[in-house]
Amino acid sequence: MRILLTNDDGIHAPGIHALYRTLCSLGEVYLVAPERPRSAAGHAITLHKPLRLTAQTVADGIPGHGCSGTPSDCVSLGLEVILEGRCDLVVSGINAGANLGWDLTYSGTVAAAIEGAILKIPSMAISVTLEGGADIFDFAPAAEFAAELAVRMHQNPLPENTLLNVNVPAISRSELQGVEVTHQGKREYFDRIDARTDPTGRPYYWLGGSLREETPDPGSDVHAVLSNRISVTPVHLDMTAYSLIERVAGWELG
Ligand code: MN
């Protein structure tokens, strides 16, 4: 198996190194990752400046290429330039932090897997989440699960235009309560803008906010990880709200 490995936390992030070491048991792994952290880059691509790939060795001996662009750029360049178009699987992660619910649209981790799907390569995004109450990231169970899932995806290719988004609670193997195939849940934040004043008296802002505590929807990704289960969400590239086509057509626009 030829695997393209990327992330949005950057080429020096421990999550991608854990994944590299585990996936090597399945075949040839090519690491192409942003040369600096690009979390929340979404699906941005770089169109107006040159992109560079720099061969380097990270984490005491892992060969890879740092890319000056976004996670999505890493997939495009990795696939065409480094793997010369021959790729069986794109894996993005392991992200340090959840990619659940509506946060998928902000996520560079998920966007890289979406780019893989657009380029017709089976793709998964994988994240470790502290949602269940853990306070440190342990990437080992997630890396093992990614390898298991990679084999299954290779044996049973998913239809085109789809990918898998995986979230693994950061708890020990013995505490994990299995795997749940889920739907995308909801995440809402409040107090999203923190307005401050700089020493010269001018306002500045931090985006962020706190998660609104709601009882999560059973069957959702959020519910699964809060129940100490690994969440696997099949994701479709088609964002159409089919139930609204008739209603909006009924406005007889134009
Ligand atoms: Mn990230």
Side-chain angles (χ1 to χ4, degrees):
M1 210 187 311
R2 285 165 64 90
I3 300 171
L4 173 59
L5 177 58
T6 192
N7 71 355
D8 77 357
D9 292 340
I11 194 165
H12 299 291
I16 201 168
H17 305 153
L19 200 45
Y20 179 92
R21 293 191 182 99
T22 309
L23 293 177
C24 275
S25 64
L26 304 179
E28 299 158 58
V29 183
Y30 298 85
L31 190 163
V32 182
E35 61 193 10
R36 64 186 175 87
R38 300 300 297 254
S39 290
H43 204 155
I45 56 174
T46 304
L47 294 179
H48 303 292
K49 56 184 177 184
L51 284 169
R52 296 191 193 276
L53 289 170
T54 309
Q56 54 191 282
T57 301
V58 293
D60 300 331
I62 296 176
H65 286 82
C67 171
S68 59
T70 64
S72 182
D73 294 331
C74 290
V75 173
S76 300
L77 291 181
L79 203 61
E80 289 302 319
V81 180
I82 307 297
L83 284 98
E84 298 176 329
R86 292 179 298 121
C87 180
D88 299 302
L89 183 70
V90 172
V91 182
S92 178
I94 301 168
N95 190 61
N99 277 304
L100 299 164
W102 295 335
D103 288 350
L104 264 62
T105 56
Y106 301 115
S107 170
T109 307
V110 175
I114 289 174
E115 190 64 24
I118 288 172
L119 299 172
K120 303 194 189 310
I121 309 294
S123 298
M124 76 162 96
I126 184 160
S127 307
V128 159
T129 148
L130 301 180
E131 257 51 25
D135 51 11
I136 52 159
F137 290 109
D138 175 5
F139 295 106
E144 262 177 49
F145 183 71
E148 182 188 338
L149 194 58
V151 171
R152 301 299 281 268
M153 288 176 76
H154 197 52
Q155 290 167 341
N156 305 289
L158 294 170
E160 279 187 8
N161 309 321
T162 64
L163 56 135
L164 295 179
N165 181 44
V166 181
N167 282 272
V168 180
I171 51 181
S172 67
R173 285 175 194 79
S174 59
E175 290 172 297
L176 279 170
Q177 302 293 313
V179 180
E180 183 176 348
V181 180
T182 57
H183 65 261
Q184 191 180 358
K186 295 175 189 167
R187 300 210 106 183
E188 277 188 84
Y189 296 87
F190 61 96
D191 291 342
R192 293 192 55 184
I193 297 172
D194 186 355
R196 302 183 185 184
T197 306
D198 75 16
T200 68
R202 291 169 58 221
Y204 69 99
Y205 306 93
W206 280 105
L207 279 182
S210 307
L211 205 53
R212 197 177 295 288
E213 290 280 340
E214 280 182 52
T215 310
D217 186 12
S220 68
D221 50 8
V222 178
H223 187 269
V225 298
L226 289 173
S227 309
N228 290 345
R229 288 189 287 275
I230 296 174
S231 166
V232 178
T233 310
V235 174
H236 202 288
L237 298 190
D238 183 352
M239 295 169 74
T240 310
Y242 285 94
S243 60
L244 294 184
I245 288 180
E246 241 179 89
R247 182 163 147 191
V248 178
W251 294 352
E252 296 180 0
L253 296 165

